[in-house]
C-alpha cells in the first residue's frame, strides 16, 4: 500500500513542521544518512549499501513445505555515488556501478509527518530502485541498513525458535513450520518422508517487518520473496526479488511507544469477543454423541467451558496421517445428528459451538463441484484446476485473490457457519499456494500470489463475519499470515507443535511465537494445549498436557486439541486426576476474566500485545531484553511457565517492581531479582505486581487456588 494513501485515510497529514530531520554526511569515500541523529545508511565505495542483479529461483512444494533454490546470476554493488538532493525532509542519492556505468539506482529518503490521536509522528520512507536501459533484466536487490553490534532484532512475524533474530537470516515465505524443525531425530524422519522437517525460520506467518532495540521499526509492504538477513554485525540486509524496494521506518523514544506504532502502521485488529476469555474451548470430535459425552464429563468435573470445538463437523476421512476432516464446509447431519438443537441446548449453559474450515475443498465434494463449475478455484498454467496433494486426498483452492470468488466463499462460510449458530471456527491453512497456481487476479505475480494468500484468506473470514453482522461476537483463529494479516484476524494460534517438550517444535516455541508476533503488530494469539502433531513413537504425556494447560491459563484462549492421533495422546478426560486438575485450571482462567478483558481492550485500542516481552515495561534493565521463556501477561502478571520435561523449578527474572506469587502466600519479592522458584504441578511461577489495581482479584485466586 502506498504510504500516503495510508496516512490520509488513517491520520491527518500535517503541514511539514520545522524540525531537523534528515542529515547527510559525505566524503570522497562515502556517505551516511541519519534521521534525528540515528544512522540509517552508511555507504562506502568499497562496501556499498545497494547491490542489484538478476537471478532465478525454484520453489518446490510438497505438502506446504518448500525447497527454495536461489540462483543469482549477477549481483553488482553500486559503489559510486552522488547526493543530488539534500534537505531536512528529502534526500536523493544516485548510485552507479564502477564497472557497468549504465547500471544505476536511486535511493530516496523522505519524511512523512502525520498525527494520530493528537500525537505527532514521522515516518521515514526509504525507496531504492534500479535504473538500467534493460530494466526487466534486473530482478534482485540487496539493501543494507546500518546496524550496531549490540543491537537486537525482534518480530519478523511469528518466529518460533529464536526471539532475538540477530545473527541469522529469515526468508519471508509462508509455509508449513515443519515437524520437528532443525536436525533432531523427529525433523530427520519428517525430512525423509516428505521434506517436512522444517528449520529455525520456517513459519506460517513470516512478516516483512522488524523491531529494533535501537527503537525503530521497519515495515516492508512487498509480497515478493524476501530475506531479512541479520547475520552481519554492522548492517542488516534486505534481499528482495524485485528491482525496487520501499522500507517504512518509524521511530520512538520507548519500546512501549514503538510497539503501538507498529500496530497502527500494520493495521489495527477486529475485536476479540468477550466470551472466549472465560474458560476453555474443548476440542472434541467423532459425532454428536461422543462430543456431548465428553462435554458432560467436563461439566460434571467443574470445567469452565466457553465453547466446544468440533473440527470434524463436516465429516471425516481416515488417512495414514490420522483422522482427517472432510473438507466440505457444511454441517454433516448424519455424522452430527441434531447439532442444531445441541447449539440451542448448550446456549442455556452459556456454552457455544465452534467449527472448522480452510481455503481448500476436497475433490468431488459438493462445495468443490460448485466452486469448480463457477470458476472459483485456482488453476495451473494450462488452465486446469490445480489439485494439491493433501496427503491421502486431493483438494482445490478457492481463489481468494479474485474478488468475486472471495465474496462467494465469504457468503458461503457465513451462511454455513454463522447461519447455523456457530459463532467461531478455526480458519486453517493459507500457506500451500504452489508457485504454479494461477489466480484470476492478474495483478499479482506468482510469488505475491503465494505470499499474500494468508492476508486475502484472512479478509475472506472477516467478510464472512461482517456479512453475518457478528463483528465483536464471532471469533476465527488463524495460523498463516503476512504483513497486514493481523488487521483481518480476530485471533492467531501457534499452529501445529509436536506433542513434546522440544525447544525446536514443542510447547516452549509458542512463547517465542507469541512474543515475536506481538512485536509484529498482532497481540492476540494462543496455542493447542499439549501440541498437535504426533509422529510415532511420540505420545502426548499427562505431564505435557497439564504443564501446557497451566501455561495456557495465562493466554486469552485456553483451547484443547485431540491431535492428529487422539488415541496416542493424553486428553483432558484420560484420567480422573487430569480432569480434576484441568477443571481447576479452567476455573482460574475464568476467574481472571475481568483482568484479561481489561487488557484485551488495551491491546485492541493501543496494540500493546497481551503476551509481552519484559522490556516493553522494563526497558532500562538489560535482563528484560534477554528472556524468551517468560513474559508479561497484560501489565501486571509475570508468567514463567514450566516448559521442560521433568522440571520442577524455574529460574525467573523479576524486574524492578514488587512481585507477589499468585499461588503461594509469601512476602512480596523486590526486583530486580533472579531466583529459582519451585513449580509443583498446577502451580507455575506466576507473579503479580503488588501495586496492581487487580490485586484483590489476584488475592482471591491465591486464597482459592494457591498452594495448600
Ligand atoms: C540453477 O543453476 C544451475 C546451474 O548453474 C542449474 O542446474 C539449476 O537448474 C538452476 N536452478 C534454477 C532454479 O534455475
Ligand atoms: C536460471 O539460471 C540458470 C543460470 O543462471 C540457468 O542455467 C537456468 O536455465 C535458469 N532457469 C530458469 C528457469 O530460467
Ligand atoms: C487518545 O488520547 C486520549 C487522551 O490522550 C486517550 O484517553 C485515548 O485513550 C486515546 N485513544 C486512542 C485510540 O489511542
Ligand atoms: C539429522 O540429519 C542431519 C543432516 O543429515 C545430521 O547432521 C544430524 O546429525 C541428524 N540428526 C540426528 C539426531 O540423527
Ligand atoms: C546473509 O548474509 C550473510 C553475510 O552476512 C551471507 O553469508 C548469507 O548468504 C546471507 N543470506 C542470504 C539468504 O542471502
Ligand atoms: C465458571 O464456572 C462457574 C461454576 O459453574 C460459574 O459460576 C462461573 O460464572 C463461570 N465463569 C465464567 C467466566 O464463565
Ligand atoms: C458425513 O460424514 C460421513 C463420515 O465422515 C461421511 O461418510 C459422509 O460422506 C458425510 N456426508 C456428507 C454429506 O458430507
Ligand atoms: C473416574 O472415576 C469414576 C468413579 O469415580 C470411574 O467410574 C471412572 O472409571 C474413572 N475414570 C477414569 C478415566 O479413570
Ligand atoms: C524532488 C526534488 O527535489 N528533486 C530535485 C532533485 O535535484 C535535482 C537536481 O539537483 C532537481 O532537478 C530535482 O527537482
Amino acid at each position: 500500500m502506498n504510504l500516503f494513501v495510508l496516512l490520509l485515510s488513517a491520520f491527518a497529514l500535517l503541514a511539514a513542521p520545522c524540525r531537523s530531520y534528515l542529515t547527510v554526511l559525505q566524503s570522497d569515500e562515502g556517505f551516511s544518512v541519519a534521521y534525528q541523529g540515528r544512522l540509517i545508511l552508511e555507504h562506502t565505495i568499497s562496501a556499498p549499501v545497494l547491490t542489484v542483479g538478476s537471478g532465478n529461483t525454484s520453489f518446490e512444494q510438497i505438502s506446504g513445505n518448500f525447497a527454495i533454490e536461489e540462483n543469482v546470476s549477477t549481483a553488482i554493488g553500486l559503489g559510486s555515488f552522488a547526493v543530488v538532493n539534500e534537505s531536512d525532509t528529502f534526500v536523493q542519492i544516485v548510485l552507479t556501478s564502477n564497472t557497468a556505468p549504465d547500471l544505476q539506482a536511486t535511493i530516496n529518503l523522505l519524511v512523512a509527518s502525520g498525527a494520530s490521536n493528537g500525537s505527532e509522528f514521522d515516518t521515514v520512507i526509504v525507496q531504492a530502485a534500479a535504473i538500467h536501459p534493460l530494466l526487466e533484466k534486473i530482478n534482485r536487490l540487496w539493501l543494507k541498513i546500518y546496524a550496531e553490534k549490540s543491537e537486537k532484532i525482534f518480530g519478523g512475524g511469528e518466529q518460533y525458535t529464536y526471539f532475538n533474530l540477530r545473527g541469522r537470516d529469515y526468508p519471508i515465505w509462508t509455509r508449513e513450520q515443519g515437524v520437528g524443525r532443525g536436525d533432531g531425530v523427529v525433523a530427520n524422519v519428517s525430512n525423509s518422508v516428505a521434506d517436512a522437517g522444517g528449520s529455525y525460520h520456517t513459519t506460517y506467518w513470516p512478516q516483512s517487518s522488524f523491531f529494533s532495540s535501537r527503537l525503530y521499526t521497519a515495515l516492508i509492504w512487498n509480497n515478493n520473496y524476501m530475506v531479512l538477513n541479520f547475520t552481519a554485525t554492522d548492517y542488516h540486509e534486505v534481499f528482495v526479488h524485485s528491482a525496487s524496494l520501499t522500507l517504512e521506518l518509524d521511530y520512538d523514544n520507548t519500546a512501549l511507544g514503538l510497539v503501538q506504532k507498529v500496530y497502527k502502521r500494520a493495521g489495527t485488529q477486529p475485536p476479540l469477543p468477550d466470551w472466549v476469555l472465560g474458560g476453555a474451548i474443548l476440542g472434541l470430535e467423532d459425532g454428536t454423541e461422543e462430543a456431548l459425552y465428553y462435554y458432560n464429563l467436563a461439566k460434571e468435573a467443574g470445567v469452565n467451558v466457553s465453547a466446544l470445538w468440533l473440527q470434524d463437523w463436516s465429516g471425516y476421512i481416515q488417512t495414514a496421517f490420522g483422522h482427517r476432516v472432510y473438507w466440505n464446509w457444511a454441517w454433516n447431519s448424519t455424522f452430527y445428528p441434531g447439532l442444531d438443537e445441541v447449539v440451542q441446548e448448550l446456549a442455556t449453559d452459556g456454552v457455544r459451538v465452534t467449527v472448522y474450515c480452510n481455503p481448500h475443498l476436497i475433490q468431488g465434494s459438493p462445495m468443490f463441484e460448485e466452486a469448480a463449475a463457477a470458476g472459483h478455484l485456482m488453476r495451473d498454467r494450462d488452465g486446469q484446476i490445480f489439485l494439491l496433494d493433501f496427503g491421502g486426498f486431493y483438494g482445490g483452492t478457492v481463489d481468494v485473490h479474485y474478488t468475486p470468488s472471495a465474496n462467494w466463499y465469504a457468503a458461503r462460510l457465513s451462511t454455513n457457519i454463522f447461519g447455523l449458530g456457530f459463532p467461531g471456527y478455526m480458519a486453517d491453512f493459507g500457506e500451500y499456494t504452489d508457485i504454479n497456481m494461477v489466480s484470476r487476479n492478474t495483478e499479482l505475480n506468482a510469488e505475491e500470489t503465494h505470499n499474500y494468500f494468508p492476508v486475502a484468506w484472512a479478509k475472506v473470514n472477516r467478510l464472512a463475519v461482517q456479512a453475518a453482522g457478528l463483528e465483536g461476537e464471532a471469533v476465527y483463529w488463524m495460523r498463516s499470515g503476512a504483513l497486514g494479516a493481523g488487521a483481518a484476524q480476530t485471533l492467531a494460534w501457534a499452529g501445529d507443535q509436536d506433542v513434546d517438550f522440544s525447544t525446536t517444535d514443542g510447547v516452549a516455541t509458542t512463547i517465542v511465537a507469541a512474543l515475536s508476533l506481538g512485536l509484529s503488530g498482532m497481540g492476540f494469539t494462543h496455542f493447542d494445549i499439549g501440541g498437535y502433531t504426533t509422529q510415532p513413537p511420540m505420545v502426548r504425556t499427562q505431564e505435557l498436557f497439564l504443564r501446557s494447560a497451566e501455561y495456557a491459563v495465562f493466554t486469552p484462549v485456553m483451547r484443547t486439541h485431540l491431535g492428529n492421533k487422539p488415541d496416542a495422546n493424553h486428553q483432558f478426560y484420560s484420567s480422573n486426576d487430569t480432569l480434576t486438575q484441568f477443571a481447576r485450571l479452567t476455573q482460574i482462567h475464568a476467574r481472571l476474566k475481568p483482568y484479561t478483558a481489561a487488557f484485551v481492550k488495551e491491546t485492541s485500542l493501543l496494540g500493546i500485545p497481551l503476551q509481552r516481552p519484559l522490556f516493553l515495561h522494563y526497558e532500562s534493565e538489560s535482563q528484560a531484553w534477554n528472556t524468551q521463556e517468560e513474559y508479561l501477561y497484560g501489565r501486571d502478571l509475570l508468567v514463567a511457565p514450566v516448559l521442560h520435561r521433568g522440571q520442577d523449578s524455574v529460574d525467573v527474572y523479576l524486574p524492578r517492581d514488587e512481585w507477589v506469587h499468585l499461588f503461594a502466600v509469601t512476602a512480596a519479592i523486590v526486583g530486580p531479582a533472579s531466583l529459582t522458584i519451585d513449580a509443583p504441578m498446577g502451580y507455575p511461577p506466576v507473579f503479580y505486581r503488588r501495586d496492581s489495581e487487580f490485586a484483590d482479584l489476584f488475592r482471591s485466586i491465591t486464597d482459592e487456588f494457591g498452594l495448600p
Side-chain angles (χ1 to χ4, degrees):
M1 181 184 304
N2 178 300
L3 180 80
F4 292 102
V5 174
L6 191 82
L7 289 174
L8 284 170
S9 59
F11 312 107
L13 261 183
L14 296 181
C18 255
R19 279 190 269 157
S20 175
Y21 290 126
L22 298 170
T23 43
V24 181
L25 288 178
Q26 52 175 319
S27 69
D28 291 348
E29 305 305 312
F31 67 86
S32 67
V33 186
Y35 168 73
Q36 296 196 337
R38 300 199 239 189
L39 277 170
I40 300 173
L41 301 176
E42 199 172 54
H43 173 96
T44 63
I45 291 170
S46 56
V49 286
L50 193 66
T51 297
V52 297
S54 58
N56 60 29
T57 307
S58 80
F59 297 89
E60 264 183 59
Q61 184 271 135
I62 310 173
S63 303
N65 303 288
F66 286 81
I68 300 175
E69 192 194 333
E70 182 76 52
N71 264 348
V72 173
S73 37
T74 51
I76 299 173
L78 305 181
S80 303
F81 66 93
V83 179
V84 296
N85 294 71
E86 186 182 345
S87 79
D88 268 2
T89 55
F90 180 70
V91 170
Q92 184 171 60
I93 296 147
V94 174
L95 297 168
T96 308
S97 160
N98 303 330
T99 52
D102 61 351
L103 188 56
Q104 290 196 318
T106 52
I107 298 184
N108 294 337
L109 295 99
L110 50 138
V111 178
S113 298
S116 170
N117 199 22
S119 65
E120 288 175 36
F121 72 90
D122 301 317
T123 298
V124 180
I125 302 165
V126 182
Q127 301 166 325
I131 307 168
H132 186 268
L134 299 170
L135 188 58
E136 67 275 12
K137 298 213 160 171
I138 308 291
N139 61 8
R140 299 289 183 273
L141 187 149
W142 296 255
L143 178 69
K144 288 177 182 167
I145 303 297
Y146 170 82
E148 283 170 11
K149 194 161 181 250
S150 61
E151 181 178 347
K152 294 178 179 5
I153 294 291
F154 306 97
E158 184 166 42
Q159 297 294 339
Y160 295 92
T161 306
Y162 304 104
F163 179 40
N164 177 4
L165 309 182
R166 204 73 197 282
R168 295 183 177 79
D169 49 17
Y170 290 83
I172 303 301
W173 188 256
T174 179
R175 57 183 124 176
E176 282 277 2
Q177 46 89 278
V179 176
R181 300 162 55 85
D183 61 6
V185 180
V186 179
N188 283 7
V189 170
S190 314
N191 277 331
S192 69
V193 176
D195 229 348
S199 67
Y200 72 89
H201 59 71
T202 45
T203 173
Y204 313 99
W205 188 328
Q207 182 166 306
S208 48
S209 72
F210 59 89
F211 183 109
S212 162
S213 61
R214 288 174 62 227
L215 300 184
Y216 78 90
T217 179
L219 269 63
I220 309 168
W221 295 95
N222 185 319
N223 291 297
N224 288 292
Y225 179 79
M226 195 182 297
V227 179
L228 301 180
N229 194 338
F230 305 114
T231 52
T233 52
D234 53 354
Y235 60 85
H236 310 311
E237 185 175 80
V238 180
F239 167 56
V240 66
H241 284 184
S242 173
S244 63
L245 179 68
T246 299
L247 268 67
E248 296 175 7
L249 309 179
D250 280 275
Y251 293 81
D252 207 283
N253 295 324
T254 66
L256 192 62
L258 189 62
V259 77
Q260 297 176 55
K261 282 187 180 145
V262 177
Y263 180 62
K264 294 200 172 91
R265 309 288 282 107
T268 61
Q269 273 177 249
L272 183 65
D274 202 52
W275 60 262
V276 299
L277 308 176
I281 299 180
L282 300 179
L284 294 169
E285 56 192 33
D286 264 346
T288 312
E289 201 181 320
E290 187 96 346
L292 285 182
Y293 173 80
Y294 289 115
Y295 165 64
N296 284 318
L297 214 58
K299 186 177 162 183
E300 280 156 28
V303 176
N304 269 84
V305 182
S306 56
L308 309 188
W309 172 47
L310 310 175
Q311 63 162 348
D312 59 354
W313 68 300
S314 58
Y316 73 90
I317 62 168
Q318 200 65 34
T319 71
F321 184 67
H323 181 96
R324 299 284 302 269
V325 175
Y326 182 64
W327 293 6
N328 175 66
W329 314 122
W331 172 33
N332 183 322
S333 59
T334 44
F335 194 39
Y336 273 95
L339 190 57
D340 49 348
E341 284 155 26
V342 169
V343 167
Q344 307 296 329
E345 284 159 27
L346 291 182
T348 61
D349 287 353
V351 173
R352 291 158 171 84
V353 177
T354 60
V355 295
Y356 172 98
C357 70
N358 67 44
H360 309 290
L361 296 165
I362 187 169
Q363 187 181 22
S365 66
M367 280 185 82
F368 175 95
E369 297 300 346
E370 183 190 345
H376 293 315
L377 298 176
M378 293 182 79
R379 294 175 183 273
D380 64 20
R381 304 211 175 275
D382 298 325
Q384 302 300 309
I385 289 170
F386 198 111
L387 291 171
L388 273 164
D389 181 352
F390 286 105
F393 60 90
Y394 286 86
T397 300
V398 177
D399 189 354
V400 293
H401 292 300
Y402 181 61
T403 305
S405 301
N407 290 343
W408 167 77
Y409 207 42
R412 272 289 175 283
L413 295 179
S414 195
T415 307
N416 291 4
I417 296 176
F418 301 125
L420 283 172
F422 309 123
Y425 56 94
M426 174 187 274
D428 205 1
F429 285 82
E431 321 79 4
Y432 279 49
T433 319
D434 191 276
I435 200 75
N436 294 310
M437 282 167 76
V438 178
S439 167
R440 285 168 82 182
N441 177 347
T442 53
E443 284 172 21
L444 303 174
N445 68 34
E447 293 182 11
E448 293 167 326
T449 301
H450 173 85
N451 260 347
Y452 188 70
F453 193 97
V455 183
W457 169 221
K459 289 181 173 178
V460 166
N461 292 294
R462 188 164 192 194
L463 265 181
V465 171
Q466 287 168 336
L470 286 177
E471 203 143 72
E473 264 305 302
V475 66
Y476 49 95
W477 56 96
M478 298 187 64
R479 66 182 191 186
S480 65
L483 185 57
Q489 292 192 13
T490 53
L491 177 67
W493 107 94
D496 300 348
Q497 280 68 52
D498 285 346
V499 294
D500 67 16
F501 281 106
S502 69
T503 51
T504 52
D505 197 13
V507 61
T509 64
T510 64
I511 297 186
V512 182
L515 299 184
S516 59
L517 207 48
L519 295 179
S520 304
M522 176 61 176
F524 297 131
T525 184
H526 76 302
F527 64 94
D528 293 345
I529 292 174
Y532 167 78
T533 308
T534 305
Q535 187 166 271
M538 202 192 278
V539 293
R540 184 200 283 159
T541 60
Q542 181 190 34
E543 181 189 15
L544 178 67
F545 179 83
L546 287 173
R547 285 304 193 185
S548 52
E550 69 186 30
Y551 144 43
V553 169
F554 305 97
T555 64
V557 177
M558 279 186 94
R559 180 179 49 77
T560 63
H561 197 315
L562 299 172
N564 64 316
K565 297 194 189 302
D567 296 341
N569 290 335
H570 198 85
Q571 310 293 358
F572 70 84
Y573 51 76
S574 293
S575 78
N576 284 336
D577 174 43
T578 303
L579 192 53
T580 308
Q581 295 202 49
F582 181 65
R584 170 179 166 274
L585 296 172
T586 63
Q587 289 158 14
I588 301 170
H589 190 259
R591 191 65 76 79
L592 274 173
K593 188 173 171 180
Y595 173 79
T596 314
F599 284 94
V600 161
K601 207 166 154 191
E602 183 196 71
T603 301
S604 295
L605 207 61
L606 303 177
I608 307 170
L610 200 56
Q611 283 168 269
R612 44 187 88 162
L614 273 50
F615 67 72
L616 286 187
H617 294 293
Y618 303 94
E619 190 172 323
S620 64
E621 296 170 51
S622 61
Q623 254 309 96
W625 292 82
N626 293 330
T627 50
Q628 80 166 36
E629 292 196 349
E630 64 179 83
Y631 61 94
L632 293 168
Y633 182 54
R635 174 67 187 93
D636 296 338
L637 285 173
L638 183 145
V639 184
V642 174
L643 301 168
H644 306 285
R645 187 157 53 111
Q647 188 184 1
D648 58 9
S649 67
V650 182
D651 293 332
V652 181
Y653 175 73
L654 295 175
R656 190 178 304 281
D657 232 319
E658 286 186 52
W659 299 97
V660 185
H661 199 304
L662 183 64
F663 294 115
V665 181
T666 54
I669 298 168
V670 180
S674 294
L675 307 150
T676 301
I677 306 291
D678 284 345
M681 186 66 84
Y683 304 91
V686 176
F687 293 84
Y688 63 88
R689 288 201 313 130
R690 210 191 65 161
D691 292 342
S692 169
E693 60 178 284
F694 293 91
D696 287 344
L697 173 69
F698 299 139
R699 273 191 289 271
S700 80
I701 290 174
T702 313
D703 289 346
E704 190 172 344
F705 301 102
L707 279 161

